[in-house]
Amino acid sequence: MPVEVGQEQAVGVYAFKNTGNEPVTILDIHSNCGCTVPELEKKTYEPGESGEIKAIFTLGDRTGPQRKVLTVNTDMPGHPITRLVLEANIPKLMTIAPRILIWRKGTANENKEIYVTTDPANSISIEKDADGYDAPWYELVPDEDKPGRYVVLVHPESTEVSRKLKFLIVVTTPEGKQVKNGAFILVR
């Protein structure tokens, strides 16, 4: 299933028809992931009747190939379980390397670098994480030799106390779609 950058959900539709001579009842549908929710019009289908099952996959901050499975349990003799597979490839809007920077407690709080790459047409910014972490000191520097690549110079305010800091790297497309990914600083 094709997925676009910034898309929030992917929906798979699975059409079916009761080709038997008896009514079939769908007893249960469950997913292998809480991010995928099934929707069903009704539970019992008479002989010759058609229906569809929708699989609504909330993409979140996932990227790359994704495979979600819905298990459909019915009262149909001989075929009580059917598995429906939803596959999607979610494009990466940015790459971040490394995602975690570590300082030893009591050492100099010198700058360390995180490299962010995105399409040169996109804009990039950094914001404090909504979870209430203290924001580290940072400076966002474009790489003059490689359009779309940025160096984020980062350090904690102090390395005297063990702590975990998180900030968000935000990429915005020219169409206004945003993706946010976290980067972490650990002092231990």
Side-chain angles (χ1 to χ4, degrees):
M1 159 176 299
V3 177
E4 295 180 16
V5 168
Q7 188 173 327
E8 293 181 12
Q9 293 181 331
V11 179
V13 179
Y14 303 89
F16 62 88
K17 182 176 183 177
N18 179 356
T19 58
N21 297 322
E22 299 291 326
V24 173
T25 299
I26 296 174
L27 304 171
D28 178 46
I29 304 173
H30 61 273
S31 170
N32 67 334
C33 173
C35 61
T36 306
V37 178
E39 279 188 1
L40 180 65
E41 297 167 341
K42 61 182 192 170
K43 291 193 173 231
T44 302
Y45 293 82
E46 298 297 324
E49 189 175 6
S50 297
E52 63 182 31
I53 297 171
K54 287 184 183 177
I56 302 169
F57 171 34
T58 301
L59 306 179
D61 62 357
R62 294 169 184 82
T63 61
Q66 303 290 314
R67 187 173 195 267
K68 306 302 173 189
V69 179
L70 292 179
T71 302
V72 182
N73 297 306
T74 70
D75 67 354
M76 188 167 72
H79 300 289
I81 296 176
T82 301
R83 288 187 174 74
L84 306 174
V85 177
L86 174 69
E87 292 182 339
N89 192 8
I90 304 169
K92 287 184 179 183
L93 190 56
M94 74 174 112
T95 59
I96 302 171
R99 300 271 311 248
I100 300 173
L101 298 175
I102 301 172
W103 282 260
R104 290 186 94 69
K105 188 174 165 184
T107 61
N109 63 346
E110 68 213 15
N111 286 342
K112 293 190 180 188
E113 298 174 345
I114 293 176
Y115 297 93
V116 181
T117 306
T118 187
D119 185 296
N122 298 332
S123 65
I124 186 169
S125 61
I126 296 179
E127 64 184 47
K128 184 177 178 179
D129 180 64
D131 292 336
Y133 289 104
D134 292 331
W137 177 90
Y138 67 87
E139 181 181 357
L140 181 63
V141 181
D143 185 329
E144 307 263 333
D145 298 327
K146 296 180 181 177
R149 185 171 185 216
Y150 297 83
V151 178
V152 185
L153 302 173
V154 185
H155 72 255
E157 290 179 14
S158 168
T159 60
E160 297 305 313
V161 177
S162 295
R163 61 191 316 182
K164 176 180 173 183
L165 305 171
K166 179 181 177 186
F167 60 98
L168 298 174
I169 299 171
V170 182
V171 169
T172 306
T173 67
E175 300 79 31
K177 295 178 182 177
Q178 283 192 341
V179 171
K180 299 179 181 184
N181 279 311
F184 299 88
I185 290 177
L186 299 176
V187 177
R188 54 181 180 174

